[in-house]
Amino acid sequence: MARSPTPHAAQPAWRGDAGHSGRSRVRRVLLGLLTLAIALPLAAALLGGVVVAFAWPRLPDVQQLLDYRPKLPLRVYSADHVLLGEFGEDRRDFVPVSRMPRTLTLAVLATEDERFYQHGGINWQGLVRAAVANLRKLKSQGASTISMQVARNFYLSSEKTVTRKLFEALLALKIERELSKTQILELYMNQIYLGQHAYGFSAAAQTYFGKPLAQISLAQAAMLAGLPKAPSTANPFVNLARAEIRQQYVLGRMRALGWISDADYEQAKAAPLGLRSVSAARVTHAVYVAEMVRQAMVARFGEQAYTRGLSVITTIISGDQQAAWHALHTGVMHYELRQIWRGPEAYVAPPATSKGWAQTVDDACDDHPDTGGLQCAVVTAVTSRQVQVMRPGGAVLELSGVSLRQVRALGLGPSAQPNVALRPGAVLRLWEPRQGHWIITQIPRVQSAFVAMNPENGAIQALVGGFDFQQNPFNHVTQAQRQPGSSFKPFIYSAALHKGFMPPTIVNDAPLFFNAAATGGQAWEPKNYDGVYDGPITLERGMAQSKNMVAIRVLNAIGPKYAQQWSARFGFAPSTQPPYLTLALGAGSATPLQMVRAYSVFANGGYLVQPYLIGSITDASGKAVASPGPQRAGDERLRTITPRNAFVMNTMLQDVTRTGTAASAQAELKRPDLYGKTGTTSDAVDAWFCGFNPRLAAVAWMGYDTPLKLGSRETGARVALPIWIDFMRTALRGVPVATYTPPAGVVPMGDAYVYEEFAAGGGVHALDVAAAPPTAPASGSAMSKLPSSMH
């Protein structure tokens, strides 16, 4: 039967055709969309299949993870067995999951991968959630599962590329296929880095709490579980406030998932952490030392050095090492505070509301981590007299007065230039010279070095190769060949003693001038540093006051070539010390390590001993691999100067620290058994203090890597000597005062000691008092750059 037409069917023919055509177009569009909806997933699936088919066979064999045995690292210790450094691919103690506290396992899952037991390696829900969050916040948010992290940590690099992420996901799927969930979790919890040299949760429990993993509390488990996000910058030893924020987050996640009760949450939230104190953990800044040992071990054992479980005991004394690091950093920062303000390290956009500052600061300081004892902070508010800053973790500081001394002139006020001005969002550095006292500052550009050595056997007891290893790994103690300036003068005077000069010998401290004809190049007019000339003075006073004219006249009298050869008795290669009169001003070159070895010859009575750093090497079983035997003062085969030469020189070096350019040494340390010499090169490019106590020799140096003037008033006495004094204050605490006994062949003469033949012959009374100028210092290109004044 025919269907009755509807009222709308009686329409003009042309309109009916149009309606039919419109419906056809709609159907075609819908059909096209349906086809596209089906084809796109099929195409994606096909493309994914091709990619998987291509990549899957190239994935590594994950079965080796079933036989996972951590490669034992190279560990470097101080002489008193404090860990200084670890090197190797794996640095952890393997603990089965079955022996780990359940609270720790739950804390890790709640933080890192709550759906670990539900997904097959990729958390698709997490991916969608992260994508939505990233779109909303315009901020990166990760969705890595524990399986993906295991894949990345064992097989892949940390680069952020699409290819790496693809292989990470595929490896996670393969790991899930071939390993059990327990095995995957076990691998993760034993290999994750948790800061402070700790890899895996067992090592971390010992590091932070000083107890076995099985004994940690829920509060401690939550603290450890929060570390993987930022183990170096947010661990409780570095930033307790930030670590506590992460701990509270972990506890909150556990409660939200129903894995702990409200009562457990409140109790853990209020529970004390029981952290080991930093002093108990004995954090020792010895990165340069550890790197020296690493290089030595690799040179000897090759790549096996990282896997054999070698333990290297060094000669470093941890207390001395920490004192050296603190002294050097304090000295550098005092110098830095006298420099102009160069501006903040960066500017970040202030948050829309005050509540956003904590996250902004955390993110900014992740990009500018603490370095060299200087802490990152961000300006949140500023006036012409006060600056408010926030540290990671939300700590707010109100700074004014002396805290602003470096930034006040250029960084504050309406006249401050945009690139140096302090304003909200400025990322800067804070230094805390004493508890609770903060100063706004900047990362120094100047470098410094310090080394201390036992003069009796060459054992290096402290070594700091620069301000911060992460900023500059160049080891200035062993690698920096610098002009020693006036700190080289004692070796000239030692040679002079052998030629008959004595402390009472009179030398004319009067100006000298060499014209171009005399030098064969440019004219040379050396000067005393202070511009003061005292006329005829004793050799002893000339050294104490670092008189350049006296040193030049003495060197001229004994002969530059002779002095050059004599310097080899102190370990210097003659080729590094030019045989010209400029040698009197320290125009050669030496490293701080060479200088401390040289001064040790005076300290130990005349023996040249070889510095050494490695005391013993053992393997993983404790078997001795090597035990180097040090040289010792007293072995006459090592004698390079006579006992009386060393003794008389020491009386002159002691006068330097009593009445001379380093008089502040005895004045501050309140003891007479201190000996040494300041050194400042021409134009104040290098500043030194080299000195010793009978039991310990030490050298401090400061200068720029690219030679620049330190400043017109920045002498060795001002910038290097304070570092030396600060170190010796700690190193000599409780050490009895020691004196040198006059050896045979030495007799007193007035306030000085002299060789007995000098006294018997009436002495050499004067050198060049009326004084014609000495012979020309050199000729030709060797004198193309002549120092004018060294101190």
Side-chain angles (χ1 to χ4, degrees), residues 119-143:
H119 63 67
I122 299 175
N123 183 4
W124 300 106
Q125 293 183 15
L127 283 173
V128 173
R129 184 170 59 249
V132 172
N134 291 342
L135 288 173
R136 287 180 176 176
K137 298 181 179 181
L138 297 177
K139 178 176 173 59
S140 176
Q141 187 176 103

Side-chain angles (χ1 to χ4, degrees), residues 246-268:
R246 284 291 294 167
Q247 180 217 29
Q248 301 299 315
Y249 168 78
V250 174
L251 290 171
R253 290 293 304 144
M254 295 178 76
R255 181 178 66 169
L257 293 167
W259 294 353
I260 60 173
S261 66
D262 289 345
D264 290 336
Y265 170 79
E266 294 297 338
Q267 183 179 7

Side-chain angles (χ1 to χ4, degrees), residues 472-497:
N472 188 345
F474 183 79
N475 190 332
H476 297 82
V477 168
T478 61
Q479 296 175 282
Q481 291 280 348
R482 310 292 295 217
Q483 285 193 351
S486 292
S487 64
F488 195 81
K489 287 177 181 175
F491 312 117
I492 303 298
Y493 290 142
S494 172
L497 294 184

Side-chain angles (χ1 to χ4, degrees), residues 312-330:
V312 180
I313 308 298
T314 68
T315 57
I316 295 295
I317 305 299
S318 62
D320 287 355
Q321 179 66 25
Q322 194 62 16
W325 182 89
H326 179 271
L328 183 145
H329 279 69
T330 300

